């Protein structure tokens, strides 16, 4: 295993050096900001220090055989001539109805709300926080405004709003998190489960000095196994691939001396409950197993609610949200927390391992909702 340290003025420059030296198969293990040079502690230059590695004996990729789907001839139904103007007029009328309905459902009345209280309400609306939560905050602000007899400015109103939200989500965030030995990562396809798992594991090894291991149940995608195997090799930790419940039990026995075991599961279309049932039959969800549901903040909120409902068959401890850097609005995060009464363990905001992984508390989520830097 070849591991080297690089220093550059920017991450882009560091990546060029790494690719030129180690090739495209290199994986970033750790990165941090450092300061170099200077004179008597002054005029130091900011730089990026990156630790990267590459497997000197990479395994060849296994390509899946393409399936040939026979074409089926269909008899085209006869097309009845239709007046295009009538069709267009009908579609416009239906579209107007949809827009009017959407406007009614999403309109929040600020009538009677003092000007000093409006800013935090508008901010949460822009973040696409649900109307129910915004109306709840509105009533809380009006109540405090009455108690203060109107002696309040915008800054104090923002403080009130933050206190209200903090008290609402703090009990969810204070639930036990990552205290168990077996950390199980589940979720739909394409949300970055394996990368997130690698970030969590790298933090446990590099920052906390834990003895960890990987178990993969994702036997559907060879690329996923190869990806996790690369991280296992770079971190110098064992990895087991399991195909059935007996394999999982055997792997647990062999890894009983390790501090933490990270379990990667297959990303499938979980609208079909049988996939969740397969997962439940594969893994023994005993007391030592803690499961996190990974979802992308770029997904539609209704789709995420359906995914969470499907995963209700297994005990989900907390949520992990990925791709925060790919969207400007983060209200979905808060909406799902409050709707399902579950906290958020981590948020990812990039691809770098392990840096772009935030372990969040209630205060951090409040700052995200009100547009504060985190």
């Amino acid at each position: 295993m070849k591991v080297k340290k690089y220093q550059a003025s920017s991450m882009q420059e560091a990546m060029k050096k790494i690719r030129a030296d180690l090739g495209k198969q290199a994986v970033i293990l750790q990165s941090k900001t450092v300061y170099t040079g200077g004179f008597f502690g002054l005029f130091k230059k900011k730089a990026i220090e990156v630790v990267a590695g590459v497997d000197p004996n990479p395994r060849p990729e296994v390509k899946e055989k393409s399936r040939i789907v026979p074409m089926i001839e269909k008899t085209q139904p006869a097309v009845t001539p239709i007046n295009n103007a009538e069709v267009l007029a009908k579609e416009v009328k239906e579209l107007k109805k949809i827009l009017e309905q959407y406007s009614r459902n999403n309109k929040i009345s600020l009538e009677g709300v003092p000007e000093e209280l409006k800013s935090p309400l508008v901010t949460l609306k822009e973040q696409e926080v649900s109307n129910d939560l915004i109306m709840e905050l509105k009533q809380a602000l009006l109540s405090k405004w009455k108690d203060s007899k109107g002696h309040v400015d915008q800054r104090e109103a923002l403080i009130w709003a933050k206190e209200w939200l903090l008290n609402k989500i703090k009990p969810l965030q204070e639930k036990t998190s990552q205290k168990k030995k077996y950390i199980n990562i589940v979720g739909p396809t394409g949300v970055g489960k394996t990368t997130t798992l690698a970030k969590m594991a790298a933090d446990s090894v590099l920052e906390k000095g834990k003895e960890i291991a990987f178990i993969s149940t994702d036997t559907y995608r060879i690329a996923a196994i190869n990806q996790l195997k690369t991280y296992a090799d770079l971190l110098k930790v064992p990895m087991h691939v399991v195909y059935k419940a007996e394999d999982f039990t055997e792997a647990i026995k062999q890894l009983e001396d390790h501090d933490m075991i990270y379990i990667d599961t297959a990303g499938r279309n979980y609208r079909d409950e049988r996939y969740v049932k397969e997962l439940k039959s594969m893994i023994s969800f005993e007391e030592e197993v803690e499961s996190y549901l990974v979802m992308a903040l770029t997904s539609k909120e209704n789709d995420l609610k359906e995914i969470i409902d499907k995963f209700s068959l297994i005990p989900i401890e907390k949520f992990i949200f990925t791709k925060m850097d790919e969207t400007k609005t983060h209200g979905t995060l808060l909406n799902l927390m409050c709707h399902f009464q579950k906290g958020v363990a981590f948020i990812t905001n990039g691809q770098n391992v392990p840096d772009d992984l935030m372990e969040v508390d209630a205060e951090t989520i409040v700052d995200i909702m009100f547009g504060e830097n985190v």
Side-chain angles (χ1 to χ4, degrees), residues 170-183 185 200 204 208 260 262 289-292 316-320 342-347 358-361:
K170 203 166 187 177
L172 302 177
Q173 286 301 105
E174 288 179 345
K175 290 181 179 179
T176 303
S177 177
Q178 209 173 353
K179 301 295 183 183
K180 297 177 183 178
K181 182 173 181 176
Y182 303 100
I183 306 300
I185 302 296
M200 295 169 65
S204 294
K208 300 173 183 175
M260 301 184 75
Y262 287 93
V289 175
E290 189 169 277
S291 296
Y292 295 91
I316 298 297
E317 189 76 22
K318 281 190 176 182
F319 300 140
I320 294 177
K342 291 188 183 296
V344 177
F346 298 95
I347 295 173
M358 296 190 297
E359 187 171 4
V360 295
D361 54 19

Side-chain angles (χ1 to χ4, degrees), residues 73-114:
E73 294 184 359
K74 293 184 178 180
T75 303
Q76 296 295 330
V79 179
T80 305
I82 300 176
N83 188 317
N84 289 336
E86 291 179 2
V87 172
L88 181 60
K90 184 179 179 181
E91 290 178 349
V92 170
K93 186 177 180 180
E94 291 176 353
L95 180 59
K96 283 182 178 179
K97 286 183 179 180
I98 293 172
L99 291 175
E100 288 173 2
Q101 183 65 37
Y102 179 83
S103 178
R104 285 195 297 271
N105 292 342
N106 288 272
K107 185 176 180 181
I108 295 176
S109 174
L110 296 181
E111 184 179 349
V113 176

Side-chain angles (χ1 to χ4, degrees), residues 131-143:
N131 289 348
D132 290 342
L133 287 174
I134 295 176
M135 293 304 293
E136 191 177 334
L137 172 60
K138 172 185 169 182
Q139 295 304 318
L141 292 178
L142 286 173
S143 177

Side-chain angles (χ1 to χ4, degrees), residues 186-193 218 221 265-271 294-296 299 307 311 322-323:
V186 299
T189 184
V191 296
K193 289 191 307 302
D218 190 355
R221 295 184 306 130
T265 61
R268 304 291 298 276
N269 181 2
Y270 283 103
R271 286 180 176 173
V294 183
M295 297 173 288
S299 300
I307 288 168
F311 273 97
T322 61
K323 304 184 181 183

